[in-house]
Amino acid sequence: MAGYRRQLYRDDAVVLRVQKLGESDRIITLLTRRHGRLRAVARGVRRTTSKFGARLEPFGHVDIQLAGDPKGNIGSSLHSVSQVEGIDLYGKRFLGDYPRYTAASAIAETAERLTPVEREPSLRLFQLTLGALKALSLGEHATTLVLDAYLLRGMTLAGWAPALTACAVCGTPGRHRAFSVPAGGAVCPDCRPPGAAHPAPATIDLMSALTSGDWQVADATETGVRRECSGLVAAHLQWHLERALRSLPLVDRGGTTTGVAGSPGGDESGPVLPSPRGGVAGVDKEMTE
């Protein structure tokens, strides 16, 4: 539009991802408080003389000023970064900690996947993402518990929460031993489909505790229960996303990268994951496609 001057607007945001652009620029993917997910060009931030390049690293909470139409109706959909102030740069605390860095990467990728439409406000997801990164930086809870709590609550916001206190098919209340990802969660004996997993009761209790924020129960669980919980959560999320998260298999869960427990009793030696396209695929192959 002739004579159009890009307006300036501010928001606070979490940096989800950065991509190289040209020789000195970057494209920054942001999850903002009031404008949802958007992308912006940060010019010259890869130069050593850049004034705010270090503030636009992944996982940082920033106060940012952007040039462009906030609604994306006028001009380019790719806005420009004109000013950045760091509020809390969590990424600096994760650089030397592989488990926390990979968990933060999975959180950022999930946040991006749960906001498929740019500039669609999602305040609750923004607050959830910011809270998860803050919890990782404080280190008060196990890294895997923070990640799984984020994934479960993120699925709740998206309408994909797994059924835990009633049968996912018929709604019969109670604690059911079988868990079926395609069916939507715990299932009763009458509705149990072939191939359903049989997690330990403590695993379902942990999933409920992480969803409701009962950290006293979550922190007291054993390593095997946490791994089985992580497998079910990852499988349930990726079934609904219909595509694997690239960062999830890199998460360190006690010295090993993550898998998905799909066998009765949560076998940890050979985890497998229900493929979003049907059938069963090995975790490494499925995650890297």
Side-chain angles (χ1 to χ4, degrees), residues 16 41 68 71 73 85 95 131 133 147 156 177 220 283:
L16 300 181
V41 175
K71 298 182 179 179
N73 297 326
E85 296 294 336
L95 290 179
L133 293 174
L147 173 59
T156 299
R177 288 296 310 275
V283 170

Side-chain angles (χ1 to χ4, degrees), residues 153-187:
R153 297 179 196 182
M155 286 190 285
T156 299
L157 294 179
W160 305 334
L164 300 173
T165 59
C167 176
V169 178
C170 67
T172 302
R175 176 189 288 180
H176 303 295
R177 288 296 310 275
F179 190 98
S180 172
V181 171
V187 287

Side-chain angles (χ1 to χ4, degrees), residues 5-41:
R5 295 184 60 186
R6 307 184 86 185
Q7 68 181 96
L8 299 177
Y9 66 99
R10 299 190 73 91
D11 206 342
D12 65 309
V14 174
V15 180
L16 300 181
R17 184 158 56 99
V18 299
Q19 300 167 268
K20 292 181 180 179
L21 178 66
E23 295 183 357
S24 61
D25 305 336
R26 279 179 175 167
I27 297 176
I28 314 297
T29 301
L30 303 161
L31 181 61
T32 66
R33 183 181 296 273
R34 292 179 292 275
H35 300 92
R37 180 180 60 82
L38 53 84
R39 297 187 305 153
V41 175

Side-chain angles (χ1 to χ4, degrees), residues 40-78:
V41 175
R43 303 194 182 281
V45 294
R46 291 165 56 198
R47 298 193 185 113
T48 56
T49 57
S50 173
K51 295 181 179 180
F52 52 77
R55 303 170 197 166
L56 289 174
E57 294 296 331
F59 322 132
H61 182 203
V62 297
D63 179 11
I64 192 166
Q65 179 173 276
L66 299 167
D69 179 18
K71 298 182 179 179
N73 297 326
I74 302 176
S76 172
S77 62
L78 198 61

Side-chain angles (χ1 to χ4, degrees), residues 103 135-136 140-153 206-207 210-211 214-215 217-222 225-227 229-230 253:
L136 280 180
E140 296 177 350
H141 307 288
T143 299
T144 56
L145 293 180
V146 174
L147 173 59
D148 290 336
Y150 175 82
L151 298 180
L152 284 165
R153 297 179 196 182
L206 175 57
M207 294 175 71
L210 293 176
T211 302
D214 189 345
W215 288 104
V217 172
D219 290 336
T221 54
E222 299 178 352
V225 172
R226 294 180 185 183
R227 288 186 178 179
C229 172
S230 297
R253 301 184 184 273

Side-chain angles (χ1 to χ4, degrees), residues 32-287:
T32 66
R33 183 181 296 273
R34 292 179 292 275
H35 300 92
R37 180 180 60 82
L38 53 84
R39 297 187 305 153
V41 175
R43 303 194 182 281
V45 294
R46 291 165 56 198
R47 298 193 185 113
T48 56
T49 57
S50 173
K51 295 181 179 180
F52 52 77
R55 303 170 197 166
L56 289 174
E57 294 296 331
F59 322 132
H61 182 203
V62 297
D63 179 11
I64 192 166
Q65 179 173 276
L66 299 167
D69 179 18
K71 298 182 179 179
N73 297 326
I74 302 176
S76 172
S77 62
L78 198 61
H79 294 182
S80 298
V81 178
S82 61
Q83 186 178 357
V84 182
E85 296 294 336
I87 299 176
D88 206 331
L89 305 180
Y90 299 117
K92 292 183 178 180
R93 308 180 195 177
F94 304 152
L95 290 179
D97 191 322
Y98 181 81
R100 288 199 292 174
Y101 184 88
T102 52
S105 299
I107 288 172
E109 185 180 358
T110 301
E112 187 172 357
R113 295 286 298 277
L114 292 178
T115 51
V117 180
E118 289 193 0
R119 295 183 185 81
E120 184 175 277
S122 183
L123 176 59
R124 294 179 66 187
L125 182 62
F126 170 82
Q127 293 173 328
L128 179 65
T129 304
L130 184 59
L133 293 174
K134 182 178 181 179
L136 280 180
S137 69
L138 294 175
E140 296 177 350
H141 307 288
T143 299
T144 56
L145 293 180
V146 174
L147 173 59
D148 290 336
Y150 175 82
L151 298 180
L152 284 165
R153 297 179 196 182
M155 286 190 285
T156 299
L157 294 179
W160 305 334
L164 300 173
T165 59
C167 176
V169 178
C170 67
T172 302
R175 176 189 288 180
H176 303 295
R177 288 296 310 275
F179 190 98
S180 172
V181 171
V187 287
C188 67
D190 293 335
C191 300
R192 182 188 60 181
H198 290 76
T203 301
I204 302 298
D205 292 341
L206 175 57
M207 294 175 71
S208 298
L210 293 176
T211 302
S212 63
D214 189 345
W215 288 104
Q216 185 175 1
V217 172
D219 290 336
T221 54
E222 299 178 352
T223 301
V225 172
R226 294 180 185 183
R227 288 186 178 179
E228 188 173 46
C229 172
S230 297
L232 294 177
V233 171
H236 193 84
L237 172 66
Q238 293 177 129
W239 176 270
H240 287 282
L241 290 177
E242 297 183 349
R243 187 159 61 92
L245 293 174
R246 293 182 179 274
S247 56
L248 204 53
L250 303 178
V251 175
D252 189 329
R253 301 184 184 273
T256 59
T257 53
T258 185
V260 177
S263 58
D267 182 13
E268 298 171 16
S269 61
V272 292
L273 151 72
S275 168
R277 294 176 295 276
V280 177
V283 170
D284 292 338
K285 178 181 178 181
E286 180 67 24
M287 293 289 188

